[in-house]
Amino acid sequence: MFKIKIAKNAGFCFGVKRAVDLVETTAKKKSGTVCTLGPVIHNPQEVERLAKQGIKILSDPKEIKNGYLILRTHGIPFELREKLEKNKLINVIDATCPFVKRAQNIVKVLSSNEKYKGATIVLVGERVHPEVVALVSYCRGRCIIIENTREAKMFKGSGDLHIVSQTTQNPKSFASIVNVLRERHNLEVHNTICEATINRQKSAEALAKDVDLMIVIGGRNSGNTTRLAQICSAKTRTYHVETVTDLKDKWFKNVESIGLTAGASTPDWIRNEIETMVKKIGLKNQKKI
Ligand code: SF4
């Protein structure tokens, strides 16, 4: 039977826990419709669990006519937020993570400061991620997105740069991008990667160095879980799974140690289900020997 080791920091972070608590408390205590605009966190199974409690997930803000609207952890665009808050028929409850808000404020303040006129805000992150889409909307001046060192090398802009990060970036990739840009530009770095991300990545990497196989648990739409899987893959054989149904018996043949970690948006109940199933597979394999 193989050994199962759990990463020191794994699963729900402060911001996600706060958002889920806000959704559940609102649904329990308030009467009327309770909605979220898009998934409140990036975990389809947890979002489905919340939907079973009557929470509606809207894809278009026009769908809400009244009731409670909870804003997701990774934020929504500035103009949309203002519009929703002006609507007296809707009660907006803000579940934006304070660390995401901090990044939004930095972008807003820097880009509207006369002192930095002519500078460009460089957002290091995934172009299509809702957090980055929202961050762009807080910029009052020139703003570009850079996803990787290749794009950093290709960047031809001039003038000073202010670098801000998506909160869930990999610190090593962020540092590499900053180093490339530093070769040709004056820049100021505002590292807005959150501590929960850093801790989860460090623990996952340390564990991956120490085991034959890593299972990374979390939504496929979760940026932070995907990065955990990338970090672990560089150290050992790694699989990114969402639920127990993704697990395959054959992965566990001839392994002595297995590491488990989970993204910041992965609830404990999914992690526990997977741990239980991995143990069962281990016992089954043992009987076959
Ligand atoms: S990963 Fe960080 S920024 Fe994102 S919700 Fe969690 S604490 Fe907030």
Side-chain angles (χ1 to χ4, degrees):
M1 170 78 177
F2 42 66
K3 261 194 197 147
I4 300 175
K5 300 180 183 181
I6 314 283
K8 194 171 156 211
N9 295 286
F12 267 15
C13 62
F14 150 79
V16 167
K17 187 173 180 321
R18 178 176 165 272
V20 171
D21 286 349
L22 268 173
V23 170
E24 291 197 295
T25 313
T26 309
K28 268 184 209 139
K29 292 197 177 157
K30 309 281 185 191
S31 56
T33 318
V34 178
C35 313
T36 66
L37 189 54
V40 70
I41 63 167
H42 279 156
N43 185 275
Q45 293 73 31
E46 181 68 355
V47 168
E48 196 184 317
R49 188 185 72 80
L50 295 172
K52 283 185 187 148
Q53 294 176 37
I55 291 128
K56 290 187 181 161
I57 300 145
L58 310 180
S59 50
D60 186 338
K62 288 188 196 121
E63 289 173 55
I64 182 162
K65 304 291 176 227
N66 52 45
Y68 293 87
L69 179 69
I70 296 157
L71 305 184
R72 61 196 176 201
T73 42
H74 33 270
I76 64 166
F78 179 74
E79 294 76 14
L80 176 58
R81 186 195 169 105
E82 277 206 325
K83 197 172 156 194
L84 290 167
E85 281 173 346
K86 275 183 195 152
N87 186 335
K88 298 282 175 262
L89 297 173
I90 306 171
N91 293 290
V92 175
I93 297 178
D94 192 1
T96 311
C97 173
F99 296 109
V100 173
K101 275 192 157 179
R102 179 175 162 259
Q104 292 174 345
N105 277 334
I106 289 175
V107 170
K108 191 173 165 191
V109 169
L110 287 174
S111 62
S112 38
N113 191 331
E114 273 299 306
K115 193 172 132 195
Y116 302 124
K117 214 172 170 189
T120 302
I121 302 277
V122 177
L123 297 175
V124 174
E126 295 149 272
R127 216 159 257 116
V128 295
H129 192 284
E131 180 187 333
V132 176
V133 173
L135 276 176
V136 172
S137 73
Y138 280 80
C139 185
R140 300 287 160 260
R142 211 168 33 226
C143 180
I144 62 149
I145 300 163
I146 289 188
E147 291 200 349
N148 48 44
T149 49
R150 187 182 55 80
E151 290 183 8
K153 283 176 191 156
M154 281 163 49
F155 176 61
K156 296 277 186 288
S158 58
D160 295 347
L161 307 180
H162 288 285
I163 321 285
V164 179
S165 173
Q166 182 181 355
T167 53
T168 54
Q169 280 293 292
N170 176 340
K172 284 184 190 161
S173 316
F174 180 69
S176 309
I177 291 170
V178 167
N179 287 339
V180 169
L181 293 170
R182 207 188 287 284
E183 285 170 15
R184 284 180 289 122
H185 298 274
N186 281 331
L187 48 90
E188 242 181 66
V189 180
H190 308 269
N191 187 339
T192 43
I193 300 173
C194 80
E195 207 164 300
T197 298
I198 296 169
N199 291 341
R200 275 154 191 71
Q201 291 184 2
K202 276 189 185 163
S203 312
E205 187 172 30
L207 183 56
K209 282 181 191 162
D210 194 36
V211 294
D212 300 325
L213 168 68
M214 275 299 290
I215 303 292
V216 179
I217 310 156
R220 293 196 203 289
N221 58 344
S222 158
N224 79 81
T225 310
T226 306
R227 270 181 287 287
L228 289 182
Q230 287 163 349
I231 288 167
C232 294
S233 304
K235 302 293 170 200
T236 193
R237 184 156 59 94
T238 299
Y239 297 102
H240 177 172
V241 300
E242 270 194 2
T243 67
V244 282
T245 57
D246 294 329
L247 295 169
K248 305 258 184 298
D249 282 17
K250 62 180 182 189
W251 297 345
F252 302 92
K253 301 255 161 73
N254 306 320
V255 290
E256 288 180 5
S257 54
I258 292 165
L260 293 186
T261 190
S265 45
T266 309
D268 281 353
W269 63 269
I270 296 185
R271 192 166 34 137
N272 293 339
E273 276 181 9
I274 294 202
E275 189 183 343
T276 307
M277 183 54 82
V278 170
K279 280 181 187 157
K280 272 188 194 161
I281 294 172
L283 286 171
K284 204 164 71 181
N285 287 351
Q286 200 178 20
K287 279 183 197 156
K288 282 184 193 162
I289 294 169

